[in-house]
Amino acid sequence: EAGVAQSPRYKIIEKRQSVAFWCNPISGHATLYWYQQILGQGPKLLIQFQNNGVVDDSQLPKDRFSAERLKGVDSTLKIQPAKLEDSAVYLCASGSGLFSYEQYFGPGTRLTVT
Amino acid sequence: AQSVAQPEDQVNVAEGNPLTVKCTYSVSGNPYLFWYVQYPNRGLQFLLKYITGDNLVKGSYGFEAEFNKSQTSFHLKKPSALVSDSALYFCAVIQRAGYSTLTFGKGTMLLVSP
């Protein structure tokens, strides 16, 4: 079974630029999560999708971050404009359902904002 | 609000010795508890979970964890450490009711010396 795919793996941008990350979950997984992991901290949930609907985006900085999951499969996370404090690893995870509780993580995208 | 504390930034143990990585939690009601492991440049991997039932939970790679409700703890253990166990370990909690939103601790680096 293929795992969660993410791209790019690394990205370096200047502040005020925009960036987008892509995630392809495990086939058949209805639930998709985006996390932000700042160095030295545990992952923090940004947004959770169930199919193509948003379940929880309470910690998503909506003035600069946006995410979509068209057709309930792939997802993109966008930052516009980026700030220095957005430097982090962005992790995508998927699960088989709202109450499956086991999440499968992709390798992450390491973003550096200079 | 739910939270997780991992009081040790780093745990050092010699190969062949038993290891313990500590975790305490705070939730209202009964928790669902998880351990994940993160190897360098890789995403988080699920190790084990406690949902209900036996307080001693067995997981992948010979790891186990003991749920202690009175002490609100969920320490990760292994009887005999391997050098290959060296990685970053995260404890996480979900409040029993509601959606599958994980709250992670800050992580504990486990270093196993030969």
Side-chain angles (χ1 to χ4, degrees), chain B residues 10-21 39 63 78 80-89 109-114:
Chain B
Q10 184 168 307
V11 170
N12 297 294
V13 64
E15 188 173 35
N17 284 357
L19 70 87
T20 299
V21 182
Y39 297 100
F63 284 93
K78 188 174 183 181
S80 179
L82 300 173
V83 172
S84 57
D85 292 331
S86 298
L88 188 57
Y89 291 80
M109 178 64 70
L110 173 66
L111 293 177
V112 182
S113 55

Side-chain angles (χ1 to χ4, degrees), chain A:
Chain A
E1 170 179 86
V4 176
Q6 290 188 247
S7 68
R9 292 295 309 276
Y10 305 92
K11 190 74 177 179
I12 300 173
I13 62 172
E14 297 181 351
K15 59 184 179 183
R16 291 187 290 273
Q17 288 186 324
S18 62
V19 65
F21 312 127
W22 173 82
C23 173
N24 183 264
I26 292 173
S27 178
H29 277 191
T31 312
L32 186 146
Y33 312 81
W34 282 102
Y35 289 88
Q36 180 191 58
Q37 186 178 13
I38 293 173
L39 187 65
Q41 300 180 20
K44 182 186 80 171
L45 180 71
L46 292 175
I47 189 167
Q48 177 183 349
F49 292 95
Q50 177 70 11
N51 295 311
N52 60 352
V54 175
V55 172
D56 184 349
D57 64 356
S58 58
Q59 299 191 87
L60 186 73
K62 298 180 186 63
D63 58 333
R64 298 185 300 107
F65 286 64
S66 64
E68 59 182 11
R69 192 184 183 196
L70 300 176
K71 302 180 181 178
V73 181
D74 293 8
S75 178
T76 57
L77 176 70
K78 297 180 181 178
I79 307 175
Q80 182 178 13
K83 293 185 175 182
L84 295 177
E85 59 261 35
D86 298 331
S87 295
V89 175
Y90 290 85
L91 296 166
C92 179
S94 69
S96 57
L98 266 181
F99 300 104
S100 64
Y101 298 121
E102 288 182 37
Q103 298 182 19
Y104 298 84
F105 284 80
T109 297
R110 183 177 298 277
L111 174 67
T112 302
V113 182
T114 62

Side-chain angles (χ1 to χ4, degrees), chain A residues 9-10 31 33 35 37 40-43 45 48 55-56 91 97-103 105-107 110, chain B residues 32 34 36 38 41-46 49 51 88 90 94-96 98-107:
Chain A
R9 292 295 309 276
Y10 305 92
T31 312
Y33 312 81
Y35 289 88
Q37 186 178 13
Q41 300 180 20
L45 180 71
Q48 177 183 349
V55 172
D56 184 349
L91 296 166
L98 266 181
F99 300 104
S100 64
Y101 298 121
E102 288 182 37
Q103 298 182 19
F105 284 80
R110 183 177 298 277
Chain B
Y32 290 171
F34 304 79
Y36 282 81
Q38 187 173 35
N41 298 316
R42 295 174 64 179
L44 279 74
Q45 295 178 33
F46 170 80
K49 67 182 177 185
I51 303 297
L88 188 57
F90 290 95
I94 294 174
Q95 218 165 292
R96 182 159 283 186
Y99 299 115
S100 53
T101 300
L102 284 169
T103 297
F104 285 88
K106 64 178 175 60

Side-chain angles (χ1 to χ4, degrees), chain B residues 14-30:
Chain B
E15 188 173 35
N17 284 357
L19 70 87
T20 299
V21 182
K22 296 179 180 178
C23 171
T24 58
Y25 65 89
S26 175
V27 297
S28 54
N30 294 317

